[in-house]
Amino acid sequence: MNSKYFPGLHLLDVNAQTPIKLEATDLTTRDIFYPLASQERDVYRTKTGKKLTAHQWAVYDFARTIPRGKVTTYKEVSSAIGGSPRSVGSALRNNPFNPYVPCHRVIASNLFIGGFFGEWGKDHKTGTRYNEKISILSQEGVHFNDNGHLLSADKVLWKA
């Protein structure tokens, strides 16, 4: 299924050195380099020139394991890798590998849709990020009620 948010996205696998077509694609065709080797991670810098912390890498590696059509919570991620739910949210807010690292699949412990690109809820800042996250997850088969709370948690809530 194509998404208007992630079209034609490719990933450059460090080991294979060839682009890998991602599952949900429809943004603009571009390659994302996601370092897997520690030497590559040591020299990797974001577009703003910042080095990623070991905690950020752990969050991104964990988020990559969340299956399409499932969500987990910031608390579940922090329990699995260490840190706090807030530190997980901070790492995901600054995710330079979106959508390859599917930060949209992480929600609040009370099963509220949570944040997306630094916006929390439909009344925060522009409110458009809330709608984007709802739309992306809906395309993946994860649905929320009008108040932004997860429906069918027993079917779509994923635990590591």
Side-chain angles (χ1 to χ4, degrees):
M1 165 186 272
N2 280 340
S3 159
K4 68 179 182 175
Y5 300 106
F6 309 131
L9 189 64
H10 291 78
L11 168 73
L12 184 61
D13 184 326
V14 167
N15 298 325
Q17 294 297 316
T18 57
I20 298 172
K21 183 107 168 134
L22 297 179
E23 59 189 45
T25 58
D26 238 14
L27 241 145
T28 56
T29 301
R30 63 185 176 121
D31 290 336
I32 290 181
F33 176 71
Y34 187 82
L36 298 174
S38 60
Q39 338 51 308
E40 296 286 344
R41 290 181 174 191
D42 289 343
V43 296
Y44 177 83
R45 297 294 182 271
T46 65
K47 289 179 184 176
T48 60
K50 292 184 179 178
K51 184 176 180 179
L52 297 176
T53 67
H55 180 68
Q56 287 171 304
W57 285 115
V59 170
Y60 302 148
D61 289 340
F62 185 89
R64 290 177 51 224
T65 67
I66 305 167
R68 181 181 176 84
K70 302 287 184 181
V71 291
T72 194
T73 66
Y74 297 101
K75 183 177 181 180
E76 180 73 20
V77 176
S78 68
S79 293
I81 65 160
S84 69
R86 283 185 185 256
S87 68
V88 169
S90 179
L92 293 175
R93 178 178 50 250
N94 297 303
N95 174 10
F97 307 108
N98 184 41
Y100 178 66
V101 172
C103 52
H104 61 278
R105 295 182 187 153
V106 183
I107 64 172
S109 295
N110 66 358
L111 306 184
F112 178 68
I113 186 76
F116 196 50
F117 289 101
E119 292 191 14
W120 190 271
K122 59 184 164 186
D123 298 326
H124 188 261
K125 294 183 184 173
T126 68
T128 58
R129 296 301 192 169
Y130 171 91
N131 292 327
E132 286 178 47
K133 187 171 181 177
I134 292 274
S135 178
I136 293 166
L137 286 169
S138 177
Q139 291 175 28
E140 294 185 1
V142 179
H143 303 286
F144 294 82
N145 67 19
D146 291 340
N147 295 324
H149 285 86
L150 183 65
L151 299 172
S152 303
D154 56 323
K155 294 179 183 173
V156 298
L157 193 59
W158 182 78
K159 296 198 184 247

